[in-house]
Amino acid sequence: MRITTAATAGLAGLLVLTACGSGGGDKGSAGPVSLRMTIWTGNADHLKLLDSIADEYLKTHKDVASIKFDTLPIENYTTTLTTQMAGGNAPDLAWILENSAPDFVGSGALAPLETLVKPEELAPSTTKLWQKDGKLYAYPFSTSPFGVFVNEDLLKQAGQEPPKAGWTWQEAVEKAAAVSARTGKAGLVVRDFDYKGWDNLATVWGGWGAEAWSEDGRSCGFAKPEMVEAMTFLHKAIFEDKALPAPGATADFFAGEAAMTITQISRASLLKDGAFDWDLVPLPAGPKGAYSVIGQAGIGVVKKSPNAAQAAGFLSFMTDPGNSARLAQYFPPPRTPLLTAEGLAKSNPLLKPEQLQQVVIDGIAKGRVKPSHSGQAELAQAVRAGLDQLWQPGADVAGTLAGVCTAVQPLLAK
Amino acid sequence: MALGLRAAARTAREGRTGWWTATRRDHLVGYLFVAPQVAGSLLFVFLPLALVLWYSLHEWNVLADTFGFVGADNYRHLLADPNVPKVLTATALFSAGLVVVNLSLALLLAVLLSQRLRGTVVFRTLFFSPVVVSLVAWTIVWGFLLQRDGGVNALLQAVGVEGPNWLRTGPTAMASVIAVQVVKNVGLNMVLFLAALQGVPKELYEAATLDGAGAWTRFARITLPMISPTVLLTSIITVAGSLQVFAQIAVLTQGGPGTSTTVLVYYLYQQAFQFHHFGYGATLSALLFVIVLALTVLQWRLRRRWVFLES
Amino acid sequence: MSRKTLLYGVLCVLCVPFVFPTWWMVTSSLKPVSEILAFPPSLLPARPMLDAYRQVFELQPFATQYWNSLYIAAVVTLGTLAVSAPAGYAFARLRFRGSNALFLMILVGLLIPSEVTIVPLFRIFHTAGLTDTHWPLILVPVLGAPSVLATFIMRQFFLTLPKELDEAAAVDGLGRAAAFWRIGLPLARPAVGAVSIFTFLHSWNLFLEPIVFLSTPERFTLPQALTQFVDAYGGPMWNVQLAAASLTALPVLVVFVLAQKQFVEGLAHTGLKG
């Protein structure tokens, strides 16, 4: 890191230096460089795997001196990352959540990835979000479909049959309501929703064919009839059927506190203690039939990094078919040759082949990514504030949703 | 440090004649003593503030890495932003609520603890203890306790009251955020009031009692004026704290429900750091700075009017 | 019911919100996650276990982070005293041109939230090559806005010392600086105590700044470390977080209980006169 001469500059000089929005930035140097990648996992196993991949790379690449993985807290991940960028301390590589993908891809913050190994293997549904003008700007290294984890013990206690693929939302709510009425535990939990993370509700309204906004991102979908129908169903399931825990109640499926939870399949590792019998089934079908939803994370090379070339080199190595297979034990890969039930079963010992086939492989093939849009954070905040009124007994569903659109439409039109 | 001071003292003693008068010497020592603080303020308060004002004249997109001069655009946006009136109302509500509840509770606790009772030290310690608990830990814990099925409602249920869903409805969310902040910090003000109460001469009360003054009259006519300097000190600290409330909002309500607990600091954090509008965030900072400046001047004026014992 | 019983009753009820959260934090750190989330909450863990405490040290370099927080807070406290004691003394007892204006000027810092200045500060420190070091966490509190409160308290205290002290010092041939060092400062022990507590706690609790400035886990401070205890998918590990939170709170609480007489009385003597 080159220390600039600011220390000797007077106040005025400092002012100009620091006022300049683009910042000086470090100059690329001839010697080996140090790479920094921001990630949000602090999990020791994940870090061990990443470090071992980095170590192998360092052995064969003398132009890179070290590779550091910086864990930023997930709560404020994007915020901290952009603060570092604003301060002129951008990382060389960044792990990016799907909800900020349009911002990062659209703004030109990332460099196009042109040296990936066998890019033709990537499933088209996984790269859609990360492309602009035919170029890929981030590698979708984790493509994790949503499924329903089921606590079979709790369902049995409530006298309910465990669900099977092809089940419907009607059945899901009936089973969940029965569990909450008979056992006092929660029925169905949409994980990470907690009446704030509304984008997770895409796993519900997808069954009604509803969407937060149109494909081109220009018009609001909350006031459309299919959305009103889906939300009316959900509202009734929460406040009348008591099938979902009410606002302010916490129930952790993985601690045995809920009969069913909708979440990404990668959470299966939380079940390794085996405290109860469980299953994983696809999302229930809605009036519009079956559907699936995926959540994603990508890794991109930050364009303003002086070491962008080396960073791209490492990213290509880290995501080549061999290393993708290793990463697959934690993060479902986007590469089609790896997306076979047998292949995934090896790295996901907790899941049975038919679970992997139904939820993961079919899910990735036809899944829709959770809603995202440029300016996502501001949109998300506006939608959350608008939806707050909905989460009370007796709320006016259609009226509230119309209000959400009034608040959101100007932001979509930007 | 010690050496520097001795040297300063020596020069001060040696040069006492001619141009080097006692007044000039005092001036010099004064400037030397405040120099680090003043320089620090210039470098770490006023330079950043100037930069913030400079940023506020720009459209700064961190992701796209663009920084362009837009003149007063951000300020026009400020006037047109439909959220700003709501945010200012929430800020005023929060600050006023916090100051009133905090100061009255602190005074109440101090009066209770200044009664001659055994075990007041134990109570004093208990009331003060949240002050030393880490703020982040404290808010995380309260986030749990204030859930619909949390500890607070369990306690209420034990006495037969059905508690509301604290953090999910507008008025109770604001009240909860205020309460969490008050419980965390009221111990500090309580201790300051306790000391002030001990400093009120007993003879004043005796004389007033002889004149037939009731308990309330004695409190309003003697206690309050006598401790008014402490009221000023605590209100300054509390107002300052109230404008800086951040972790509590971020952990407990994220500004909701709706925008009911979105105070100015939180809103500017959202705009700058979450929505990437650094230029507009800087504009909101400028607004906050103006409010702060007005409050500082106001409190400084009030001090002369209202405080009984100012030296 | 006697007045005394009534008073005790009122005090006990008022105590609940002050004591319960800490109690809940500590006892919950000994429970498994399912019991933490159960309703109604249990007062004591059914089967206390120290599992979470072991994980605290396994998942993060927690001892190092503890040391970081501790030494930074200590340095900040000493530095703040060195800056604020002379400044407070000068503002209270020395006459020099512009002292009121200067005082009003630094008072502005007292009311500036750190969110306002964090971006320019970050750029300043980045330009100086000091990000991902502890310097910003030391320099800004010692010289910037946070030390203003310390100067304010010091000033309020020095205002209460009688004028005669200065006259006596002058008779003894002491200059202003020597009068501060030999007379003012020794008398200011309560104010020094109060400022130390304020400053130490402020530094100990700093949250936004470490998150923004630091990126290496070995350099993290405690509040920042608290948010790092998450499972593989970003879900918080409640019992581990609460264990870590207890570990950060308990030692300070114990020190406080042992030394509370000095703490509280030190604090008390500063606000006496305005």
Side-chain angles (χ1 to χ4, degrees):
Chain A
M1 195 157 290
R2 201 174 66 103
I3 296 176
T4 64
T5 49
T8 52
L11 273 191
L14 196 57
L15 199 128
V16 171
L17 262 177
T18 53
C20 166
S22 55
D26 300 6
K27 293 244 163 56
S29 54
V33 299
S34 301
L35 295 179
R36 188 169 77 94
M37 172 166 149
T38 51
I39 56 178
W40 71 74
T41 177
N43 181 273
D45 296 333
H46 295 180
L47 288 171
K48 208 188 284 169
L49 176 57
L50 291 171
D51 280 335
S52 76
I53 294 177
D55 286 344
E56 274 167 42
Y57 186 75
L58 293 177
K59 273 186 215 144
T60 51
H61 291 78
K62 296 299 167 205
D63 56 334
V64 178
S66 67
I67 299 169
K68 197 171 85 167
F69 299 97
D70 252 2
T71 302
L72 308 179
I74 179 92
E75 288 266 316
N76 303 305
Y77 177 80
T78 307
T79 304
T80 314
L81 176 59
T82 49
T83 308
Q84 291 189 352
M85 293 171 77
N89 185 28
D92 304 297
L93 292 141
W95 182 330
I96 296 156
L97 288 88
E98 82 258 298
N99 57 18
S100 48
D103 280 333
F104 276 83
V105 174
S107 65
L110 302 175
L113 301 178
E114 284 159 342
T115 59
L116 288 181
V117 182
K118 295 198 181 167
E120 67 281 0
E121 286 183 3
L122 303 179
S125 63
T126 65
T127 53
K128 203 170 151 198
L129 185 62
W130 311 93
Q131 276 175 329
K132 193 177 75 173
D133 306 330
K135 285 183 183 160
L136 188 64
Y137 284 83
Y139 177 88
F141 82 105
S142 173
T143 298
S144 191
F146 284 81
V148 182
F149 284 97
V150 180
N151 182 329
E152 294 184 327
D153 292 358
L154 269 180
L155 280 177
K156 204 181 288 170
Q157 265 184 49
Q160 298 291 310
E161 285 294 308
K164 292 273 165 277
W167 62 321
T168 64
W169 264 105
Q170 205 60 49
E171 294 170 47
V173 168
E174 277 163 21
K175 290 182 197 301
V179 169
S180 99
R182 307 224 181 117
T183 68
K185 305 267 180 166
L188 172 68
V189 175
V190 181
R191 195 167 168 92
D192 298 325
F193 163 49
D194 197 26
Y195 298 89
K196 290 173 191 153
W198 57 269
D199 53 344
N200 290 298
L201 291 181
T203 57
V204 178
W205 68 51
W208 278 257
E211 48 189 9
W213 38 75
S214 55
E215 191 76 19
D216 65 1
R218 293 246 148 222
S219 58
C220 173
F222 280 96
K224 296 252 174 71
E226 61 269 24
M227 180 64 90
V228 175
E229 205 187 310
M231 289 298 223
T232 309
F233 177 84
L234 181 66
H235 190 273
K236 179 171 167 289
I238 295 167
F239 293 100
E240 285 175 40
D241 306 331
K242 317 258 183 232
L244 284 79
T250 315
D252 185 0
F253 172 84
F254 297 98
E257 294 288 305
M260 296 175 276
T261 191
I262 297 181
T263 190
Q264 284 165 291
I265 65 109
S266 36
R267 309 286 170 98
S269 63
L270 297 173
L271 285 164
K272 62 177 167 227
D273 296 341
F276 50 84
D277 282 336
W278 59 274
D279 194 8
L280 171 67
V281 293
L283 295 171
K288 287 274 165 67
Y291 62 103
S292 70
V293 178
I294 52 183
Q296 278 200 312
I299 303 177
V301 172
V302 177
K303 196 162 73 184
K304 64 166 150 165
S305 156
N307 312 318
Q310 289 91 338
F314 172 64
L315 182 56
S316 301
F317 174 78
M318 179 180 160
T319 60
D320 71 14
N323 283 326
S324 285
R326 295 171 68 192
L327 288 166
Q329 59 181 304
Y330 301 115
F331 311 107
R335 293 183 179 273
T336 40
L338 293 173
L339 287 171
T340 62
E342 302 79 59
L344 287 177
K346 258 182 264 163
S347 46
N348 292 279
L350 287 171
L351 295 175
K352 288 179 272 194
E354 79 261 23
Q355 293 173 332
L356 288 163
Q357 180 68 41
Q358 286 169 353
V359 181
V360 183
I361 296 165
D362 298 352
I364 292 180
K366 59 185 162 64
R368 291 182 63 109
V369 179
K370 278 200 300 178
S372 63
H373 196 281
S374 61
Q376 173 82 13
E378 192 167 9
L379 267 170
Q381 162 63 23
V383 173
R384 187 200 51 73
L387 285 179
D388 275 340
Q389 291 173 44
L390 190 60
W391 312 127
Q392 335 244 358
D396 167 15
V397 179
T400 308
L401 292 174
V404 171
C405 273
T406 315
V408 165
Q409 193 59 51
L411 296 171
L412 290 173
K414 260 186 194 169
Chain B
M1 166 97 208
L3 278 178
L5 284 174
R6 290 214 187 99
R10 196 159 52 238
T11 20
R13 270 199 304 276
E14 281 159 4
R16 267 203 209 151
T17 47
W19 180 83
W20 192 235
T21 59
T23 325
R24 283 182 199 277
R25 190 193 62 202
D26 269 19
H27 278 222
L28 182 69
V29 174
Y31 290 129
L32 280 179
F33 273 22
V34 302
Q37 176 86 77
V38 170
S41 283
L42 286 176
L43 187 59
F44 294 132
V45 178
F46 286 90
L47 172 63
L49 276 177
L51 288 172
V52 162
L53 287 178
W54 174 246
Y55 298 156
S56 76
L57 302 174
H58 294 77
E59 168 68 43
W60 179 4
N61 186 322
V62 177
L63 291 178
D65 201 17
T66 53
F67 188 74
F69 186 79
V70 294
D73 270 12
N74 284 322
Y75 289 89
R76 273 190 284 275
H77 180 50
L78 180 75
L79 294 177
D81 185 348
N83 284 323
V84 167
K86 293 187 221 164
V87 166
L88 289 179
T89 315
T91 312
L93 215 58
F94 177 81
S95 291
L98 183 78
V99 172
V100 169
V101 177
N102 188 326
L103 292 190
S104 9
L105 184 62
L107 200 51
L108 173 71
L109 291 178
V111 170
L112 287 180
L113 289 184
S114 61
Q115 312 297 315
R116 282 161 207 281
L117 269 185
R118 285 169 74 84
T120 47
V121 174
V122 175
F123 282 109
R124 192 178 71 184
T125 312
L126 292 179
F127 287 130
F128 193 83
S129 64
V131 174
V132 302
V133 175
S134 147
L135 178 62
V136 175
W138 179 256
T139 7
I140 290 176
V141 167
W142 274 100
F144 262 109
L145 295 179
L146 286 167
Q147 290 195 331
R148 198 189 55 139
D149 288 347
V152 173
N153 282 350
L155 281 180
L156 288 177
Q157 204 178 47
V159 291
V161 180
E162 168 112 21
N165 199 347
W166 295 98
L167 298 173
R168 304 284 176 158
T169 58
T172 55
M174 178 60 92
S176 305
V177 178
I178 292 176
V180 169
Q181 175 76 348
V182 165
V183 174
K184 172 85 175 72
N185 279 337
V186 75
L188 216 50
N189 288 343
M190 171 196 79
V191 167
L192 296 175
F193 279 135
L194 258 177
L197 289 176
Q198 283 159 12
V200 180
K202 300 282 166 291
E203 304 78 46
L204 287 178
Y205 291 120
E206 285 155 20
T209 314
L210 284 181
D211 289 348
W216 175 248
T217 317
R218 278 181 312 208
F219 180 77
R221 294 287 172 78
I222 301 171
T223 315
L224 266 186
M226 288 301 288
I227 64 169
S228 57
T230 309
V231 176
L232 177 78
L233 176 78
T234 51
S235 67
I236 287 181
I237 297 177
T238 313
V239 170
S242 80
L243 286 170
Q244 308 192 6
V245 61
F246 174 72
Q248 299 87 320
I249 304 266
V251 173
L252 290 178
T253 67
Q254 285 101 56
T259 52
S260 57
T261 55
T262 307
V263 296
L264 191 50
V265 169
Y266 192 72
Y267 189 57
L268 90 81
Y269 170 83
Q270 278 186 330
Q271 287 290 343
F273 295 92
Q274 294 189 320
F275 307 162
H276 316 314
H277 304 319
F278 271 94
Y280 188 50
T283 312
L284 291 165
S285 305
L287 173 66
L288 181 59
F289 175 65
V290 170
I291 294 175
V292 160
L293 199 65
L295 280 178
T296 315
V297 172
L298 184 74
Q299 282 177 325
W300 195 250
R301 287 274 163 84
L302 276 181
R303 173 195 68 125
R304 303 210 175 275
R305 278 262 199 112
W306 172 56
V307 172
F308 185 64
L309 283 171
E310 170 76 18
S311 13
Chain C
M1 194 159 53
S2 79
R3 185 172 155 277
K4 238 182 190 167
T5 333
L6 184 72
L7 260 175
Y8 278 124
V10 169
L11 284 172
C12 284
V13 171
L14 282 173
C15 250
V16 173
F18 291 81
V19 179
F20 187 64
T22 313
W23 170 265
W24 188 85
M25 173 177 77
V26 176
T27 54
S28 294
S29 68
L30 302 170
K31 298 175 191 171
V33 173
S34 57
E35 202 185 331
I36 296 178
L37 299 175
F39 184 85
S42 51
L43 272 185
L44 280 169
R47 247 180 343 111
M49 45 193 224
L50 288 168
D51 216 34
Y53 286 85
R54 190 174 45 79
Q55 288 191 54
V56 166
F57 289 92
E58 279 175 9
L59 296 173
Q60 292 280 320
F62 197 71
T64 313
Q65 293 163 341
Y66 217 103
W67 165 249
N68 292 342
S69 269
L70 207 60
Y71 104 84
I72 291 175
V75 171
V76 165
T77 305
L78 288 175
T80 302
L81 286 173
V83 168
S84 66
Y89 184 82
F91 282 129
R93 307 189 73 85
L94 302 183
R95 297 199 180 281
F96 53 98
R97 199 164 299 129
S99 70
N100 263 342
L102 283 178
F103 184 61
L104 200 55
M105 182 193 101
I106 67 156
L107 216 52
V108 169
L110 186 62
L111 295 165
I112 298 289
S114 46
E115 285 75 20
V116 171
T117 51
I118 190 87
V119 168
L121 282 177
F122 189 95
R123 294 194 77 91
I124 291 171
F125 280 103
H126 186 68
T127 312
L130 292 177
T131 45
D132 205 19
T133 72
H134 291 149
W135 281 109
L137 306 183
I138 293 172
L139 289 178
V140 174
V142 168
L143 293 169
S147 71
V148 174
L149 182 61
T151 299
F152 186 76
I153 292 175
M154 284 292 180
R155 173 185 173 271
Q156 300 309 99
F157 179 82
F158 283 121
L159 281 176
T160 65
L161 296 182
K163 283 252 183 301
E164 294 75 35
L165 277 179
D166 291 342
E167 288 155 20
V171 170
D172 287 352
L174 288 178
R176 288 300 211 168
F180 160 72
W181 187 246
R182 302 243 187 102
I183 301 173
L185 206 52
L187 283 172
R189 214 171 280 162
V192 168
V195 166
S196 306
I197 299 162
F198 269 118
T199 314
F200 190 92
L201 290 176
H202 181 266
S203 170
W204 186 256
N205 281 331
L206 224 49
F207 181 55
L208 181 72
E209 290 80 354
I211 285 185
V212 169
F213 283 114
L214 302 180
S215 54
T216 309
E218 282 73 26
R219 295 185 193 137
F220 283 1
T221 62
L222 287 177
Q224 187 180 16
L226 285 187
T227 62
Q228 302 280 325
F229 294 105
V230 291
D231 65 32
Y233 306 100
M237 305 167 79
W238 293 117
N239 52 346
V240 186
Q241 277 196 355
L242 290 170
S246 303
L247 283 175
T248 61
L250 283 182
V252 187
L253 269 178
V254 169
V255 171
F256 164 69
V257 168
L258 293 180
Q260 62 94 19
K261 203 165 138 66
Q262 283 75 12
F263 270 29
V264 172
E265 276 158 22
L267 208 54
H269 282 111
T270 56
L272 262 176
K273 296 202 177 70

